Amino acid sequence: MSADDVARVFAIEDKVERLKAATDGVAAAQQTINELTRIRRAVIRELHAEGWTFARIGAAAGLSRARIHQVSTQGPAPEGLFFGHGSLTVLVPEVRAGRVIGAPDPAAPQRLAELLRELGFSVAVEHFLPGRPVDLRRDGLIVLGGPELSPSLRQLVAADPRLRRAVAIMGDARRGIEDRAARRVYRPGGPEPHDIAYLGRLPRPDGRGSVLMIDGMHPPGSLGAIRLLATRLATLHERASNHLFSVLIACRFDRATGEPLEAELLTPVYRHDPENRSPATGLRR
């Protein structure tokens, strides 16, 4: 908030409106502080990994060695930059009754929002009607759901050069995902309850940004992907950073509750950069 913004709030005559404006301003300022603190921690970590001492970093930033060491451990986690910066919106289908193919577990939106808030983000959950176009030309979007839910989401996943839905089997188009380069199709199932989730950062239709997509082949898969984001975010950020990418996640879940028991990387983290088509280091099963 600039000095002019503060002056405008100060000039509001109605006390209640002035209080509301000041409260909103404090929230916005705190969000900005969170974002800048996260960026500062990330840069300190990167420089230190490159061999810079805290003393050298401090001298470059105009801070003492002790202060640099202190701020490198305070504030939102640097790996939160995996989700970008600014306010985030979680897009989820509106399911009024019954099961909708491609929809996440009902608990997934709130669980993801809680994780993002713990990382210091301002988050809103927004619903869309299945079967209709979705406006993806906005910053900070995270979609919970699959391409079956909207023609806009089908267009989104079609841009993935590495992973795609396998040919339908007995009318079920969600039975497998093909790794084109490895010439392998991954399917859920096995001796224990097991699902697969797709996680990808894909280009927006207008070419002016990206959309993060989380899609479990069945509802437990969406919870498994969120579990992995909560437990392996630093690994994902290291391998994908803010580049376009896609990866498959394996999830073992409790048959009675659908709750994930384990979640791990099923494929390498595939970066989609034209100049970097080789996969980042990942785990295979």
Side-chain angles (χ1 to χ4, degrees), residues 5-27:
D5 293 329
V6 173
R8 279 193 291 271
V9 172
F10 186 75
I12 297 174
E13 293 186 7
D14 185 281
K15 292 183 177 63
V16 173
E17 292 303 317
R18 193 189 315 153
L19 173 61
K20 291 179 180 178
T23 301
D24 291 343
V26 168

Side-chain angles (χ1 to χ4, degrees), residues 88-161:
L88 300 176
T89 300
V90 177
L91 292 178
V92 61
E94 183 176 332
V95 180
R96 297 174 179 174
R99 180 175 179 270
V100 175
I101 294 178
D105 186 281
Q110 186 59 35
R111 199 165 296 183
L112 178 58
E114 289 173 358
L115 170 62
L116 295 171
R117 291 185 181 112
E118 289 174 2
L119 290 167
F121 289 97
S122 174
V123 186
V125 177
E126 182 179 308
H127 292 82
F128 64 90
L129 292 176
R132 299 185 181 180
V134 181
D135 182 11
L136 302 176
R137 299 168 297 174
R138 295 178 283 164
D139 294 332
L141 292 183
I142 303 175
V143 175
L144 263 175
E148 299 87 351
L149 293 166
S150 167
S152 305
L153 301 186
R154 286 196 292 274
Q155 179 184 0
L156 189 68
V157 299
D160 188 330

Side-chain angles (χ1 to χ4, degrees), residues 228-284:
L228 187 128
L229 286 167
T231 58
R232 301 284 301 278
L233 185 59
T235 298
L236 286 170
H237 181 53
E238 176 186 354
R239 297 176 184 175
S241 186
N242 294 117
H243 297 269
L244 301 178
F245 79 95
S246 56
V247 65
L248 295 184
I249 297 166
C251 169
R252 185 171 66 85
F253 62 92
D254 184 280
R255 189 184 303 277
T257 65
E259 284 292 321
L261 301 174
E262 291 180 337
E264 61 181 349
L265 299 178
L266 182 60
T267 68
V269 176
Y270 290 118
R271 293 251 296 260
H272 298 173
D273 313 23
E275 70 279 6
N276 181 17
R277 289 297 187 182
S278 60
T281 302
L283 302 177
R284 290 183 182 273

